[in-house]
mmCIF file of all heavy atoms in Angstrom:
data_model
loop_
_atom_site.group_PDB
_atom_site.id
_atom_site.type_symbol
_atom_site.label_atom_id
_atom_site.label_comp_id
_atom_site.label_asym_id
_atom_site.label_seq_id
_atom_site.Cartn_x
_atom_site.Cartn_y
_atom_site.Cartn_z
ATOM 1 N N CYS A 76 36.238 53.702 4.908
ATOM 2 C CA CYS A 76 35.893 53.017 6.064
ATOM 3 C C CYS A 76 36.089 51.556 5.848
ATOM 4 O O CYS A 76 35.839 51.002 4.682
ATOM 5 C CB CYS A 76 34.352 53.178 6.444
ATOM 6 S SG CYS A 76 34.008 54.867 6.948
ATOM 7 N N VAL A 77 36.504 50.780 6.757
ATOM 8 C CA VAL A 77 36.727 49.322 6.702
ATOM 9 C C VAL A 77 35.847 48.644 7.744
ATOM 10 O O VAL A 77 35.666 49.149 8.807
ATOM 11 C CB VAL A 77 38.160 48.964 6.778
ATOM 12 C CG1 VAL A 77 38.954 49.528 5.700
ATOM 13 C CG2 VAL A 77 38.719 49.392 8.194
ATOM 14 N N THR A 78 35.436 47.384 7.419
ATOM 15 C CA THR A 78 34.553 46.632 8.305
ATOM 16 C C THR A 78 35.476 46.108 9.332
ATOM 17 O O THR A 78 36.445 45.429 9.194
ATOM 18 C CB THR A 78 33.923 45.379 7.425
ATOM 19 O OG1 THR A 78 33.314 45.923 6.394
ATOM 20 C CG2 THR A 78 33.009 44.723 8.371
ATOM 21 N N ALA A 79 34.953 46.254 10.635
ATOM 22 C CA ALA A 79 35.685 45.874 11.750
ATOM 23 C C ALA A 79 35.058 44.674 12.420
ATOM 24 O O ALA A 79 35.735 43.757 12.999
ATOM 25 C CB ALA A 79 35.945 46.907 12.816
ATOM 26 N N GLN A 80 33.614 44.684 12.385
ATOM 27 C CA GLN A 80 32.861 43.642 13.018
ATOM 28 C C GLN A 80 31.544 43.572 12.458
ATOM 29 O O GLN A 80 31.021 44.495 11.947
ATOM 30 C CB GLN A 80 32.721 44.022 14.466
ATOM 31 C CG GLN A 80 31.832 43.172 15.436
ATOM 32 C CD GLN A 80 32.627 42.356 16.400
ATOM 33 O OE1 GLN A 80 33.688 42.580 16.791
ATOM 34 N NE2 GLN A 80 31.908 41.403 16.936
ATOM 35 N N VAL A 81 30.891 42.428 12.487
ATOM 36 C CA VAL A 81 29.507 42.222 12.189
ATOM 37 C C VAL A 81 28.788 41.560 13.266
ATOM 38 O O VAL A 81 29.237 40.484 13.855
ATOM 39 C CB VAL A 81 29.389 41.335 10.824
ATOM 40 C CG1 VAL A 81 27.913 41.146 10.473
ATOM 41 C CG2 VAL A 81 30.189 41.888 9.654
ATOM 42 N N ASP A 82 27.668 42.113 13.649
ATOM 43 C CA ASP A 82 26.929 41.585 14.761
ATOM 44 C C ASP A 82 25.414 41.240 14.427
ATOM 45 O O ASP A 82 24.954 41.980 13.541
ATOM 46 C CB ASP A 82 26.769 42.628 15.947
ATOM 47 C CG ASP A 82 28.022 42.920 16.665
ATOM 48 O OD1 ASP A 82 28.664 41.928 17.054
ATOM 49 O OD2 ASP A 82 28.262 44.000 16.899
ATOM 50 N N GLY A 83 25.017 40.187 14.840
ATOM 51 C CA GLY A 83 23.525 39.845 14.758
ATOM 52 C C GLY A 83 23.138 39.696 13.156
ATOM 53 O O GLY A 83 22.059 40.130 12.807
ATOM 54 N N PHE A 84 24.051 39.144 12.410
ATOM 55 C CA PHE A 84 23.632 38.955 10.936
ATOM 56 C C PHE A 84 22.577 37.808 11.040
ATOM 57 O O PHE A 84 22.911 36.684 11.301
ATOM 58 C CB PHE A 84 24.785 38.526 10.186
ATOM 59 C CG PHE A 84 24.486 38.769 8.693
ATOM 60 C CD1 PHE A 84 25.128 39.803 8.034
ATOM 61 C CD2 PHE A 84 23.706 38.009 7.933
ATOM 62 C CE1 PHE A 84 24.859 40.093 6.744
ATOM 63 C CE2 PHE A 84 23.511 38.222 6.653
ATOM 64 C CZ PHE A 84 24.137 39.261 5.994
ATOM 65 N N ARG A 85 21.255 38.212 10.799
ATOM 66 C CA ARG A 85 20.223 37.214 11.022
ATOM 67 C C ARG A 85 19.474 37.008 9.654
ATOM 68 O O ARG A 85 18.926 38.109 9.070
ATOM 69 C CB ARG A 85 19.246 37.853 11.996
ATOM 70 C CG ARG A 85 18.119 36.872 12.437
ATOM 71 C CD ARG A 85 17.425 37.497 13.726
ATOM 72 N NE ARG A 85 16.991 38.911 13.532
ATOM 73 C CZ ARG A 85 15.693 39.129 13.194
ATOM 74 N NH1 ARG A 85 14.790 38.279 13.105
ATOM 75 N NH2 ARG A 85 15.367 40.376 13.130
ATOM 76 N N PHE A 86 19.315 35.857 9.160
ATOM 77 C CA PHE A 86 18.460 35.545 7.934
ATOM 78 C C PHE A 86 17.093 35.256 8.479
ATOM 79 O O PHE A 86 16.937 34.367 9.307
ATOM 80 C CB PHE A 86 19.095 34.365 7.241
ATOM 81 C CG PHE A 86 20.408 34.596 6.675
ATOM 82 C CD1 PHE A 86 21.593 34.281 7.252
ATOM 83 C CD2 PHE A 86 20.423 35.125 5.326
ATOM 84 C CE1 PHE A 86 22.846 34.500 6.739
ATOM 85 C CE2 PHE A 86 21.763 35.403 4.751
ATOM 86 C CZ PHE A 86 22.922 35.085 5.437
ATOM 87 N N VAL A 87 16.149 36.071 7.987
ATOM 88 C CA VAL A 87 14.768 35.909 8.432
ATOM 89 C C VAL A 87 13.989 35.130 7.441
ATOM 90 O O VAL A 87 13.258 34.201 8.000
ATOM 91 C CB VAL A 87 14.106 37.324 8.551
ATOM 92 C CG1 VAL A 87 12.653 37.194 8.970
ATOM 93 C CG2 VAL A 87 14.907 38.192 9.449
ATOM 94 N N SER A 88 14.288 35.170 6.166
ATOM 95 C CA SER A 88 13.615 34.354 5.123
ATOM 96 C C SER A 88 14.553 34.307 3.869
ATOM 97 O O SER A 88 15.262 35.251 3.692
ATOM 98 C CB SER A 88 12.228 34.792 4.843
ATOM 99 O OG SER A 88 12.114 36.088 4.303
ATOM 100 N N PRO A 89 14.343 33.243 3.083
ATOM 101 C CA PRO A 89 15.263 33.281 1.846
ATOM 102 C C PRO A 89 14.703 34.139 0.764
ATOM 103 O O PRO A 89 13.559 34.503 0.639
ATOM 104 C CB PRO A 89 15.070 31.738 1.462
ATOM 105 C CG PRO A 89 13.762 31.386 1.986
ATOM 106 C CD PRO A 89 13.453 32.057 3.192
ATOM 107 N N ALA A 90 15.757 34.531 0.004
ATOM 108 C CA ALA A 90 15.423 35.409 -1.196
ATOM 109 C C ALA A 90 15.502 34.410 -2.328
ATOM 110 O O ALA A 90 16.330 33.587 -2.423
ATOM 111 C CB ALA A 90 16.535 36.440 -1.385
ATOM 112 N N LYS A 91 14.619 34.695 -3.352
ATOM 113 C CA LYS A 91 14.481 33.715 -4.527
ATOM 114 C C LYS A 91 14.814 34.403 -5.939
ATOM 115 O O LYS A 91 14.706 35.548 -5.985
ATOM 116 C CB LYS A 91 13.000 33.194 -4.411
ATOM 117 C CG LYS A 91 12.728 32.424 -3.218
ATOM 118 C CD LYS A 91 11.176 32.215 -3.045
ATOM 119 C CE LYS A 91 10.876 31.651 -1.725
ATOM 120 N NZ LYS A 91 9.401 31.668 -1.403
#
Side-chain angles (χ1 to χ4, degrees):
C76 294
V77 295
T78 308
Q80 173 113 16
V81 181
D82 288 318
F84 201 102
R85 187 170 55 100
F86 292 94
V87 178
S88 65
K91 302 170 189 166

